[in-house]
Amino acid sequence: EYFRHAQSITFKANLYRRFYLYPRLVKFLPNKTLDIGCGLGSFQSFKKNVIGIDINPFFVDYCKSLGHKSFLYKAPPYDFTDCSFDSVLIDNVIEHILDPTNIIQEIYRILTPKGLCVVGVPGKVGFDAHADHKVFYEEELLTKLMEKNGFSTVKLFFAPFKWDYFSKNLAAYCLYGVFQK
């Protein structure tokens, strides 16, 4: 069901990702990147040297059909060696999980020293739009989660920009945190 929903992303949403969001995110995702919750592989199509993982076999098969290196993982541990990625993107994933500590600790393990992790979480209307969202993250809660697991906060920002009106009215509105190992 979610695979079909993801395929219904609008042309305008794809333009937003390709020309605004991904260029912003890629600044914090150097070299070899792991995309956790890669979905349809749109970030893998945007940036080279990205490996994707997802819990949904339909997404993984779709990404592979596009020639992306993608793997199915239901939960950590991931079959990657310690310090094997320079950066990790986990965008619109952790709000689906009551306690994502095991994933955050696994990210810490697979990141190189000084590696960067970019975490994206939806604003209020985006959070409320899906019944399977379990935890709403504001800046303080996101920062606390990451710092509790050994990361330091580099930057927090909103896309497109911080405005309470967007949080309540724009489903694509997200908080992003950049964290360093």
Side-chain angles (χ1 to χ4, degrees):
E1 182 66 29
Y2 191 71
F3 178 70
R4 269 186 271 139
H5 164 72
Q7 289 181 308
S8 69
I9 302 251
T10 66
F11 178 73
K12 206 169 16 172
N14 281 325
L15 285 177
Y16 169 77
R17 285 180 180 174
R18 187 166 236 4
F19 295 105
Y20 178 76
L21 181 60
Y22 291 165
R24 260 185 106 178
L25 297 181
V26 81
K27 295 178 199 172
F28 304 105
L29 297 164
N31 306 321
K32 187 177 179 186
T33 302
L34 179 65
D35 183 0
I36 299 175
C38 63
L40 295 171
S42 59
F43 189 73
Q44 289 173 284
S45 296
F46 182 80
K47 181 186 182 290
K48 294 192 184 313
N49 209 9
V50 176
I51 294 173
I53 63 173
D54 207 289
I55 64 168
N56 187 317
F58 295 106
F59 285 135
V60 173
D61 290 344
Y62 181 81
C63 288
K64 286 180 177 181
S65 77
L66 297 176
H68 299 317
K69 198 170 188 181
S70 301
F71 301 96
L72 181 67
Y73 283 100
K74 293 293 182 185
Y78 307 135
D79 193 24
F80 303 113
T81 59
D82 294 358
C83 304
S84 56
F85 289 92
D86 302 295
S87 57
V88 172
L89 173 64
I90 183 165
D91 193 5
N92 284 271
V93 171
I94 65 169
E95 68 275 5
H96 295 268
I97 306 162
L98 276 175
D99 182 7
T101 299
N102 63 338
I103 293 173
I104 304 305
Q105 290 172 346
E106 185 69 355
I107 290 169
Y108 192 89
R109 180 189 71 79
I110 63 175
L111 273 175
T112 58
K114 304 288 184 191
L116 294 173
C117 177
V118 175
V119 182
V121 291
K124 191 67 177 136
V125 74
F127 179 82
D128 290 341
H130 297 281
D132 65 334
H133 286 174
K134 294 175 175 42
V135 179
F136 179 69
Y137 288 90
E138 293 182 294
E139 294 154 289
E140 184 179 337
L141 186 57
L142 180 60
T143 300
K144 185 185 284 187
L145 170 69
M146 297 303 287
E147 291 179 353
K148 179 179 78 173
N149 287 288
F151 287 90
S152 60
T153 302
V154 174
K155 179 178 184 141
L156 296 172
F157 64 93
F158 291 83
F161 53 86
K162 187 174 183 173
W163 190 18
D164 195 44
Y165 177 82
F166 282 164
S167 183
K168 294 175 182 170
N169 295 286
L170 181 65
Y173 181 75
C174 289
L175 163 64
Y176 286 92
V178 180
F179 303 95
Q180 188 171 49
K181 179 177 177 179

mmCIF file of all heavy atoms in Angstrom, residues 29-54 59-60 63-64 67-73 78-81 84-90 110:
data_model
loop_
_atom_site.group_PDB
_atom_site.id
_atom_site.type_symbol
_atom_site.label_atom_id
_atom_site.label_comp_id
_atom_site.label_asym_id
_atom_site.label_seq_id
_atom_site.Cartn_x
_atom_site.Cartn_y
_atom_site.Cartn_z
ATOM 1 N N LEU A 29 26.283 15.696 3.229
ATOM 2 C CA LEU A 29 26.370 14.258 2.978
ATOM 3 C C LEU A 29 27.523 13.963 2.023
ATOM 4 O O LEU A 29 27.318 13.634 0.855
ATOM 5 C CB LEU A 29 25.034 13.751 2.416
ATOM 6 C CG LEU A 29 23.848 13.900 3.373
ATOM 7 C CD1 LEU A 29 22.533 13.760 2.650
ATOM 8 C CD2 LEU A 29 23.966 12.899 4.525
ATOM 9 N N PRO A 30 28.750 14.077 2.528
ATOM 10 C CA PRO A 30 29.912 13.897 1.654
ATOM 11 C C PRO A 30 30.187 12.427 1.339
ATOM 12 O O PRO A 30 29.798 11.521 2.082
ATOM 13 C CB PRO A 30 31.055 14.480 2.479
ATOM 14 C CG PRO A 30 30.644 14.237 3.896
ATOM 15 C CD PRO A 30 29.146 14.403 3.903
ATOM 16 N N ASN A 31 30.861 12.231 0.235
ATOM 17 C CA ASN A 31 31.448 10.950 -0.157
ATOM 18 C C ASN A 31 30.458 9.796 -0.080
ATOM 19 O O ASN A 31 29.341 9.895 -0.553
ATOM 20 C CB ASN A 31 32.722 10.693 0.643
ATOM 21 C CG ASN A 31 33.700 11.852 0.510
ATOM 22 O OD1 ASN A 31 33.850 12.423 -0.556
ATOM 23 N ND2 ASN A 31 34.343 12.223 1.606
ATOM 24 N N LYS A 32 30.867 8.686 0.536
ATOM 25 C CA LYS A 32 30.042 7.474 0.591
ATOM 26 C C LYS A 32 28.912 7.657 1.601
ATOM 27 O O LYS A 32 29.158 7.890 2.787
ATOM 28 C CB LYS A 32 30.909 6.269 0.962
ATOM 29 C CG LYS A 32 30.178 4.948 0.876
ATOM 30 C CD LYS A 32 31.116 3.796 1.180
ATOM 31 C CE LYS A 32 30.374 2.472 1.123
ATOM 32 N NZ LYS A 32 31.247 1.364 1.544
ATOM 33 N N THR A 33 27.667 7.536 1.123
ATOM 34 C CA THR A 33 26.488 7.830 1.932
ATOM 35 C C THR A 33 25.570 6.621 2.009
ATOM 36 O O THR A 33 25.348 5.937 1.009
ATOM 37 C CB THR A 33 25.708 9.021 1.318
ATOM 38 O OG1 THR A 33 26.566 10.150 1.238
ATOM 39 C CG2 THR A 33 24.488 9.375 2.146
ATOM 40 N N LEU A 34 25.009 6.395 3.182
ATOM 41 C CA LEU A 34 23.957 5.401 3.363
ATOM 42 C C LEU A 34 22.638 6.137 3.524
ATOM 43 O O LEU A 34 22.526 7.041 4.348
ATOM 44 C CB LEU A 34 24.216 4.539 4.614
ATOM 45 C CG LEU A 34 23.148 3.484 4.911
ATOM 46 C CD1 LEU A 34 23.111 2.427 3.808
ATOM 47 C CD2 LEU A 34 23.393 2.834 6.270
ATOM 48 N N ASP A 35 21.643 5.767 2.726
ATOM 49 C CA ASP A 35 20.295 6.341 2.795
ATOM 50 C C ASP A 35 19.399 5.305 3.471
ATOM 51 O O ASP A 35 19.026 4.307 2.857
ATOM 52 C CB ASP A 35 19.799 6.679 1.396
ATOM 53 C CG ASP A 35 18.431 7.350 1.382
ATOM 54 O OD1 ASP A 35 17.848 7.568 2.460
ATOM 55 O OD2 ASP A 35 17.946 7.656 0.275
ATOM 56 N N ILE A 36 19.081 5.546 4.744
ATOM 57 C CA ILE A 36 18.234 4.631 5.510
ATOM 58 C C ILE A 36 16.779 5.023 5.282
ATOM 59 O O ILE A 36 16.387 6.143 5.583
ATOM 60 C CB ILE A 36 18.578 4.672 7.014
ATOM 61 C CG1 ILE A 36 20.031 4.232 7.238
ATOM 62 C CG2 ILE A 36 17.611 3.803 7.811
ATOM 63 C CD1 ILE A 36 20.508 4.351 8.672
ATOM 64 N N GLY A 37 16.011 4.076 4.760
ATOM 65 C CA GLY A 37 14.629 4.371 4.365
ATOM 66 C C GLY A 37 14.625 5.002 2.984
ATOM 67 O O GLY A 37 13.980 6.015 2.757
ATOM 68 N N CYS A 38 15.343 4.385 2.064
ATOM 69 C CA CYS A 38 15.598 4.981 0.744
ATOM 70 C C CYS A 38 14.358 5.106 -0.131
ATOM 71 O O CYS A 38 14.364 5.846 -1.114
ATOM 72 C CB CYS A 38 16.684 4.203 0.008
ATOM 73 S SG CYS A 38 16.260 2.484 -0.361
ATOM 74 N N GLY A 39 13.273 4.403 0.203
ATOM 75 C CA GLY A 39 12.047 4.535 -0.574
ATOM 76 C C GLY A 39 12.263 4.209 -2.038
ATOM 77 O O GLY A 39 12.821 3.167 -2.388
ATOM 78 N N LEU A 40 11.843 5.109 -2.902
ATOM 79 C CA LEU A 40 11.932 4.918 -4.355
ATOM 80 C C LEU A 40 13.307 5.240 -4.924
ATOM 81 O O LEU A 40 13.496 5.224 -6.132
ATOM 82 C CB LEU A 40 10.868 5.757 -5.068
ATOM 83 C CG LEU A 40 9.426 5.361 -4.780
ATOM 84 C CD1 LEU A 40 8.469 6.385 -5.352
ATOM 85 C CD2 LEU A 40 9.130 3.977 -5.332
ATOM 86 N N GLY A 41 14.266 5.562 -4.066
ATOM 87 C CA GLY A 41 15.629 5.800 -4.527
ATOM 88 C C GLY A 41 15.859 7.152 -5.156
ATOM 89 O O GLY A 41 16.832 7.339 -5.880
ATOM 90 N N SER A 42 14.994 8.124 -4.870
ATOM 91 C CA SER A 42 15.161 9.437 -5.507
ATOM 92 C C SER A 42 16.454 10.122 -5.079
ATOM 93 O O SER A 42 17.094 10.791 -5.886
ATOM 94 C CB SER A 42 13.956 10.340 -5.259
ATOM 95 O OG SER A 42 13.743 10.534 -3.882
ATOM 96 N N PHE A 43 16.874 9.931 -3.814
ATOM 97 C CA PHE A 43 18.149 10.523 -3.404
ATOM 98 C C PHE A 43 19.311 9.791 -4.061
ATOM 99 O O PHE A 43 20.303 10.404 -4.446
ATOM 100 C CB PHE A 43 18.301 10.536 -1.877
ATOM 101 C CG PHE A 43 19.492 11.322 -1.427
ATOM 102 C CD1 PHE A 43 19.488 12.702 -1.500
ATOM 103 C CD2 PHE A 43 20.628 10.697 -0.953
ATOM 104 C CE1 PHE A 43 20.602 13.454 -1.117
ATOM 105 C CE2 PHE A 43 21.738 11.428 -0.558
ATOM 106 C CZ PHE A 43 21.724 12.814 -0.638
ATOM 107 N N GLN A 44 19.190 8.489 -4.234
ATOM 108 C CA GLN A 44 20.221 7.711 -4.928
ATOM 109 C C GLN A 44 20.344 8.154 -6.378
ATOM 110 O O GLN A 44 21.432 8.114 -6.949
ATOM 111 C CB GLN A 44 19.904 6.215 -4.865
ATOM 112 C CG GLN A 44 20.088 5.619 -3.486
ATOM 113 C CD GLN A 44 19.615 4.184 -3.435
ATOM 114 O OE1 GLN A 44 18.422 3.925 -3.403
ATOM 115 N NE2 GLN A 44 20.554 3.263 -3.432
ATOM 116 N N SER A 45 19.244 8.583 -6.975
ATOM 117 C CA SER A 45 19.284 9.086 -8.351
ATOM 118 C C SER A 45 19.941 10.460 -8.415
ATOM 119 O O SER A 45 20.478 10.851 -9.442
ATOM 120 C CB SER A 45 17.866 9.181 -8.927
ATOM 121 O OG SER A 45 17.288 7.905 -9.030
ATOM 122 N N PHE A 46 19.874 11.196 -7.300
ATOM 123 C CA PHE A 46 20.415 12.556 -7.264
ATOM 124 C C PHE A 46 21.916 12.576 -6.997
ATOM 125 O O PHE A 46 22.653 13.352 -7.599
ATOM 126 C CB PHE A 46 19.691 13.372 -6.183
ATOM 127 C CG PHE A 46 20.156 14.791 -6.099
ATOM 128 C CD1 PHE A 46 19.685 15.740 -6.992
ATOM 129 C CD2 PHE A 46 21.064 15.181 -5.130
ATOM 130 C CE1 PHE A 46 20.118 17.054 -6.926
ATOM 131 C CE2 PHE A 46 21.501 16.487 -5.051
ATOM 132 C CZ PHE A 46 21.026 17.430 -5.956
ATOM 133 N N LYS A 47 22.386 11.753 -6.071
ATOM 134 C CA LYS A 47 23.785 11.778 -5.641
ATOM 135 C C LYS A 47 24.453 10.442 -5.928
ATOM 136 O O LYS A 47 23.869 9.394 -5.706
ATOM 137 C CB LYS A 47 23.857 12.064 -4.129
ATOM 138 C CG LYS A 47 25.264 12.133 -3.561
ATOM 139 C CD LYS A 47 25.228 12.272 -2.036
ATOM 140 C CE LYS A 47 26.583 12.392 -1.411
ATOM 141 N NZ LYS A 47 27.395 11.199 -1.429
ATOM 142 N N LYS A 48 25.659 10.507 -6.403
ATOM 143 C CA LYS A 48 26.428 9.285 -6.639
ATOM 144 C C LYS A 48 26.993 8.755 -5.317
ATOM 145 O O LYS A 48 27.085 9.474 -4.338
ATOM 146 C CB LYS A 48 27.575 9.563 -7.606
ATOM 147 C CG LYS A 48 27.111 9.925 -9.005
ATOM 148 C CD LYS A 48 28.267 9.913 -9.977
ATOM 149 C CE LYS A 48 27.890 10.360 -11.358
ATOM 150 N NZ LYS A 48 26.698 9.799 -11.925
ATOM 151 N N ASN A 49 27.379 7.495 -5.325
ATOM 152 C CA ASN A 49 28.023 6.845 -4.185
ATOM 153 C C ASN A 49 27.094 6.757 -2.969
ATOM 154 O O ASN A 49 27.500 7.033 -1.837
ATOM 155 C CB ASN A 49 29.335 7.546 -3.830
ATOM 156 C CG ASN A 49 30.334 6.591 -3.204
ATOM 157 O OD1 ASN A 49 30.132 5.381 -3.175
ATOM 158 N ND2 ASN A 49 31.417 7.139 -2.694
ATOM 159 N N VAL A 50 25.826 6.396 -3.234
ATOM 160 C CA VAL A 50 24.837 6.223 -2.188
ATOM 161 C C VAL A 50 24.346 4.776 -2.202
ATOM 162 O O VAL A 50 23.998 4.252 -3.257
ATOM 163 C CB VAL A 50 23.624 7.170 -2.373
ATOM 164 C CG1 VAL A 50 22.564 6.904 -1.314
ATOM 165 C CG2 VAL A 50 24.057 8.623 -2.341
ATOM 166 N N ILE A 51 24.324 4.171 -1.045
ATOM 167 C CA ILE A 51 23.731 2.850 -0.868
ATOM 168 C C ILE A 51 22.438 3.062 -0.103
ATOM 169 O O ILE A 51 22.393 3.825 0.867
ATOM 170 C CB ILE A 51 24.678 1.910 -0.093
ATOM 171 C CG1 ILE A 51 25.922 1.627 -0.939
ATOM 172 C CG2 ILE A 51 23.972 0.615 0.290
ATOM 173 C CD1 ILE A 51 26.999 0.845 -0.221
ATOM 174 N N GLY A 52 21.370 2.407 -0.544
ATOM 175 C CA GLY A 52 20.079 2.554 0.113
ATOM 176 C C GLY A 52 19.663 1.299 0.835
ATOM 177 O O GLY A 52 19.970 0.190 0.389
ATOM 178 N N ILE A 53 18.974 1.487 1.960
ATOM 179 C CA ILE A 53 18.353 0.364 2.647
ATOM 180 C C ILE A 53 16.921 0.753 2.981
ATOM 181 O O ILE A 53 16.611 1.932 3.179
ATOM 182 C CB ILE A 53 19.120 -0.091 3.916
ATOM 183 C CG1 ILE A 53 19.159 1.005 4.978
ATOM 184 C CG2 ILE A 53 20.523 -0.551 3.563
ATOM 185 C CD1 ILE A 53 19.760 0.548 6.310
ATOM 186 N N ASP A 54 16.044 -0.247 3.031
ATOM 187 C CA ASP A 54 14.648 -0.002 3.360
ATOM 188 C C ASP A 54 14.046 -1.274 3.941
ATOM 189 O O ASP A 54 14.555 -2.367 3.690
ATOM 190 C CB ASP A 54 13.860 0.428 2.118
ATOM 191 C CG ASP A 54 12.650 1.288 2.469
ATOM 192 O OD1 ASP A 54 11.675 0.755 3.035
ATOM 193 O OD2 ASP A 54 12.692 2.502 2.199
ATOM 194 N N PHE A 59 10.153 -1.420 -2.331
ATOM 195 C CA PHE A 59 11.068 -0.300 -2.554
ATOM 196 C C PHE A 59 12.453 -0.801 -2.963
ATOM 197 O O PHE A 59 13.062 -0.278 -3.896
ATOM 198 C CB PHE A 59 11.207 0.573 -1.303
ATOM 199 C CG PHE A 59 10.033 1.464 -1.036
ATOM 200 C CD1 PHE A 59 9.503 1.566 0.243
ATOM 201 C CD2 PHE A 59 9.451 2.223 -2.040
ATOM 202 C CE1 PHE A 59 8.430 2.395 0.505
ATOM 203 C CE2 PHE A 59 8.379 3.061 -1.789
ATOM 204 C CZ PHE A 59 7.860 3.143 -0.511
ATOM 205 N N VAL A 60 12.942 -1.797 -2.264
ATOM 206 C CA VAL A 60 14.278 -2.328 -2.554
ATOM 207 C C VAL A 60 14.326 -2.895 -3.970
ATOM 208 O O VAL A 60 15.251 -2.604 -4.731
ATOM 209 C CB VAL A 60 14.697 -3.379 -1.505
ATOM 210 C CG1 VAL A 60 15.997 -4.061 -1.904
ATOM 211 C CG2 VAL A 60 14.838 -2.715 -0.135
ATOM 212 N N CYS A 63 14.285 0.007 -6.456
ATOM 213 C CA CYS A 63 15.591 0.675 -6.515
ATOM 214 C C CYS A 63 16.594 -0.163 -7.309
ATOM 215 O O CYS A 63 17.341 0.371 -8.133
ATOM 216 C CB CYS A 63 16.127 0.946 -5.111
ATOM 217 S SG CYS A 63 15.248 2.252 -4.239
ATOM 218 N N LYS A 64 16.592 -1.453 -7.076
ATOM 219 C CA LYS A 64 17.495 -2.339 -7.823
ATOM 220 C C LYS A 64 17.179 -2.316 -9.304
ATOM 221 O O LYS A 64 18.093 -2.357 -10.132
ATOM 222 C CB LYS A 64 17.415 -3.764 -7.273
ATOM 223 C CG LYS A 64 18.101 -3.922 -5.935
ATOM 224 C CD LYS A 64 17.994 -5.352 -5.429
ATOM 225 C CE LYS A 64 18.750 -5.513 -4.129
ATOM 226 N NZ LYS A 64 18.697 -6.886 -3.614
ATOM 227 N N GLY A 67 18.969 0.242 -11.002
ATOM 228 C CA GLY A 67 20.417 0.107 -10.968
ATOM 229 C C GLY A 67 21.061 0.620 -9.699
ATOM 230 O O GLY A 67 22.284 0.742 -9.618
ATOM 231 N N HIS A 68 20.247 0.930 -8.689
ATOM 232 C CA HIS A 68 20.780 1.408 -7.415
ATOM 233 C C HIS A 68 21.200 0.234 -6.545
ATOM 234 O O HIS A 68 20.577 -0.821 -6.565
ATOM 235 C CB HIS A 68 19.748 2.224 -6.646
ATOM 236 C CG HIS A 68 19.274 3.453 -7.348
ATOM 237 N ND1 HIS A 68 20.110 4.309 -8.013
ATOM 238 C CD2 HIS A 68 18.028 3.978 -7.483
ATOM 239 C CE1 HIS A 68 19.413 5.301 -8.524
ATOM 240 N NE2 HIS A 68 18.142 5.119 -8.216
ATOM 241 N N LYS A 69 22.230 0.457 -5.762
ATOM 242 C CA LYS A 69 22.681 -0.533 -4.788
ATOM 243 C C LYS A 69 21.781 -0.381 -3.560
ATOM 244 O O LYS A 69 21.896 0.608 -2.822
ATOM 245 C CB LYS A 69 24.149 -0.287 -4.448
ATOM 246 C CG LYS A 69 24.839 -1.439 -3.807
ATOM 247 C CD LYS A 69 26.332 -1.178 -3.738
ATOM 248 C CE LYS A 69 27.047 -2.428 -3.266
ATOM 249 N NZ LYS A 69 28.482 -2.209 -3.153
ATOM 250 N N SER A 70 20.871 -1.320 -3.367
ATOM 251 C CA SER A 70 19.880 -1.227 -2.296
ATOM 252 C C SER A 70 19.695 -2.585 -1.637
ATOM 253 O O SER A 70 19.777 -3.617 -2.295
ATOM 254 C CB SER A 70 18.538 -0.752 -2.859
ATOM 255 O OG SER A 70 18.675 0.504 -3.472
ATOM 256 N N PHE A 71 19.404 -2.540 -0.320
ATOM 257 C CA PHE A 71 19.297 -3.761 0.455
ATOM 258 C C PHE A 71 18.086 -3.712 1.379
ATOM 259 O O PHE A 71 17.703 -2.644 1.855
ATOM 260 C CB PHE A 71 20.562 -3.971 1.302
ATOM 261 C CG PHE A 71 21.812 -4.046 0.477
ATOM 262 C CD1 PHE A 71 22.591 -2.911 0.294
ATOM 263 C CD2 PHE A 71 22.193 -5.233 -0.125
ATOM 264 C CE1 PHE A 71 23.746 -2.958 -0.473
ATOM 265 C CE2 PHE A 71 23.350 -5.292 -0.896
ATOM 266 C CZ PHE A 71 24.122 -4.159 -1.073
ATOM 267 N N LEU A 72 17.536 -4.880 1.662
ATOM 268 C CA LEU A 72 16.406 -5.019 2.564
ATOM 269 C C LEU A 72 16.919 -5.279 3.975
ATOM 270 O O LEU A 72 17.689 -6.216 4.196
ATOM 271 C CB LEU A 72 15.522 -6.193 2.113
ATOM 272 C CG LEU A 72 14.279 -6.467 2.939
ATOM 273 C CD1 LEU A 72 13.284 -5.313 2.804
ATOM 274 C CD2 LEU A 72 13.635 -7.778 2.505
ATOM 275 N N TYR A 73 16.512 -4.422 4.917
ATOM 276 C CA TYR A 73 16.828 -4.608 6.335
ATOM 277 C C TYR A 73 15.585 -4.277 7.134
ATOM 278 O O TYR A 73 15.036 -3.188 6.999
ATOM 279 C CB TYR A 73 17.961 -3.690 6.801
ATOM 280 C CG TYR A 73 19.328 -4.152 6.376
ATOM 281 C CD1 TYR A 73 19.962 -3.579 5.289
ATOM 282 C CD2 TYR A 73 19.981 -5.167 7.071
ATOM 283 C CE1 TYR A 73 21.228 -4.001 4.897
ATOM 284 C CE2 TYR A 73 21.235 -5.598 6.685
ATOM 285 C CZ TYR A 73 21.849 -5.011 5.597
ATOM 286 O OH TYR A 73 23.097 -5.432 5.210
ATOM 287 N N TYR A 78 23.091 -3.752 10.647
ATOM 288 C CA TYR A 78 23.248 -3.752 9.200
ATOM 289 C C TYR A 78 24.572 -4.424 8.876
ATOM 290 O O TYR A 78 25.521 -4.340 9.640
ATOM 291 C CB TYR A 78 23.225 -2.325 8.645
ATOM 292 C CG TYR A 78 22.012 -1.521 9.083
ATOM 293 C CD1 TYR A 78 22.146 -0.213 9.517
ATOM 294 C CD2 TYR A 78 20.738 -2.081 9.076
ATOM 295 C CE1 TYR A 78 21.040 0.532 9.917
ATOM 296 C CE2 TYR A 78 19.627 -1.341 9.482
ATOM 297 C CZ TYR A 78 19.788 -0.045 9.899
ATOM 298 O OH TYR A 78 18.692 0.678 10.301
ATOM 299 N N ASP A 79 24.602 -5.076 7.749
ATOM 300 C CA ASP A 79 25.786 -5.851 7.368
ATOM 301 C C ASP A 79 26.838 -4.950 6.701
ATOM 302 O O ASP A 79 27.218 -5.177 5.561
ATOM 303 C CB ASP A 79 25.375 -6.995 6.440
ATOM 304 C CG ASP A 79 26.479 -8.016 6.266
ATOM 305 O OD1 ASP A 79 27.347 -8.115 7.144
ATOM 306 O OD2 ASP A 79 26.461 -8.703 5.231
ATOM 307 N N PHE A 80 27.267 -3.927 7.430
ATOM 308 C CA PHE A 80 28.322 -3.029 6.969
ATOM 309 C C PHE A 80 29.387 -2.997 8.069
ATOM 310 O O PHE A 80 29.064 -3.051 9.254
ATOM 311 C CB PHE A 80 27.799 -1.610 6.717
ATOM 312 C CG PHE A 80 26.673 -1.539 5.720
ATOM 313 C CD1 PHE A 80 25.399 -1.172 6.106
ATOM 314 C CD2 PHE A 80 26.896 -1.852 4.382
ATOM 315 C CE1 PHE A 80 24.359 -1.104 5.194
ATOM 316 C CE2 PHE A 80 25.863 -1.796 3.462
ATOM 317 C CZ PHE A 80 24.591 -1.422 3.866
ATOM 318 N N THR A 81 30.630 -2.864 7.656
ATOM 319 C CA THR A 81 31.708 -2.829 8.641
ATOM 320 C C THR A 81 31.702 -1.506 9.411
ATOM 321 O O THR A 81 31.139 -0.503 8.949
ATOM 322 C CB THR A 81 33.082 -3.019 7.964
ATOM 323 O OG1 THR A 81 33.263 -1.985 7.001
ATOM 324 C CG2 THR A 81 33.175 -4.377 7.277
ATOM 325 N N SER A 84 32.298 2.534 7.899
ATOM 326 C CA SER A 84 32.302 2.311 6.451
ATOM 327 C C SER A 84 31.587 3.391 5.641
ATOM 328 O O SER A 84 31.628 3.360 4.413
ATOM 329 C CB SER A 84 31.708 0.937 6.129
ATOM 330 O OG SER A 84 30.418 0.798 6.667
ATOM 331 N N PHE A 85 30.946 4.368 6.303
ATOM 332 C CA PHE A 85 30.246 5.444 5.585
ATOM 333 C C PHE A 85 30.711 6.800 6.108
ATOM 334 O O PHE A 85 30.895 6.988 7.310
ATOM 335 C CB PHE A 85 28.731 5.328 5.754
ATOM 336 C CG PHE A 85 28.143 4.163 5.009
ATOM 337 C CD1 PHE A 85 27.989 2.943 5.640
ATOM 338 C CD2 PHE A 85 27.772 4.283 3.685
ATOM 339 C CE1 PHE A 85 27.463 1.853 4.967
ATOM 340 C CE2 PHE A 85 27.247 3.205 2.995
ATOM 341 C CZ PHE A 85 27.088 1.985 3.637
ATOM 342 N N ASP A 86 30.848 7.749 5.182
ATOM 343 C CA ASP A 86 31.210 9.116 5.548
ATOM 344 C C ASP A 86 29.996 9.905 6.020
ATOM 345 O O ASP A 86 30.128 10.884 6.751
ATOM 346 C CB ASP A 86 31.839 9.830 4.349
ATOM 347 C CG ASP A 86 33.069 9.095 3.853
ATOM 348 O OD1 ASP A 86 34.044 9.034 4.618
ATOM 349 O OD2 ASP A 86 33.036 8.561 2.729
ATOM 350 N N SER A 87 28.814 9.476 5.557
ATOM 351 C CA SER A 87 27.589 10.180 5.915
ATOM 352 C C SER A 87 26.394 9.240 5.819
ATOM 353 O O SER A 87 26.434 8.228 5.116
ATOM 354 C CB SER A 87 27.387 11.404 5.009
ATOM 355 O OG SER A 87 27.350 11.028 3.643
ATOM 356 N N VAL A 88 25.342 9.624 6.557
ATOM 357 C CA VAL A 88 24.094 8.856 6.570
ATOM 358 C C VAL A 88 22.933 9.836 6.472
ATOM 359 O O VAL A 88 22.912 10.858 7.153
ATOM 360 C CB VAL A 88 23.955 8.014 7.860
ATOM 361 C CG1 VAL A 88 22.572 7.384 7.958
ATOM 362 C CG2 VAL A 88 25.029 6.945 7.934
ATOM 363 N N LEU A 89 21.967 9.492 5.629
ATOM 364 C CA LEU A 89 20.711 10.236 5.538
ATOM 365 C C LEU A 89 19.609 9.332 6.062
ATOM 366 O O LEU A 89 19.476 8.185 5.624
ATOM 367 C CB LEU A 89 20.409 10.618 4.083
ATOM 368 C CG LEU A 89 19.033 11.251 3.827
ATOM 369 C CD1 LEU A 89 18.898 12.591 4.551
ATOM 370 C CD2 LEU A 89 18.810 11.438 2.320
ATOM 371 N N ILE A 90 18.830 9.843 7.012
ATOM 372 C CA ILE A 90 17.668 9.115 7.521
ATOM 373 C C ILE A 90 16.518 10.119 7.552
ATOM 374 O O ILE A 90 16.328 10.851 8.512
ATOM 375 C CB ILE A 90 17.959 8.409 8.872
ATOM 376 C CG1 ILE A 90 16.753 7.610 9.340
ATOM 377 C CG2 ILE A 90 18.502 9.358 9.909
ATOM 378 C CD1 ILE A 90 17.024 6.612 10.452
ATOM 379 N N ILE A 110 28.583 2.680 12.058
ATOM 380 C CA ILE A 110 29.011 2.581 10.654
ATOM 381 C C ILE A 110 29.587 3.881 10.101
ATOM 382 O O ILE A 110 30.186 3.871 9.030
ATOM 383 C CB ILE A 110 27.872 2.069 9.739
ATOM 384 C CG1 ILE A 110 26.707 3.041 9.718
ATOM 385 C CG2 ILE A 110 27.458 0.662 10.146
ATOM 386 C CD1 ILE A 110 25.600 2.674 8.753
#
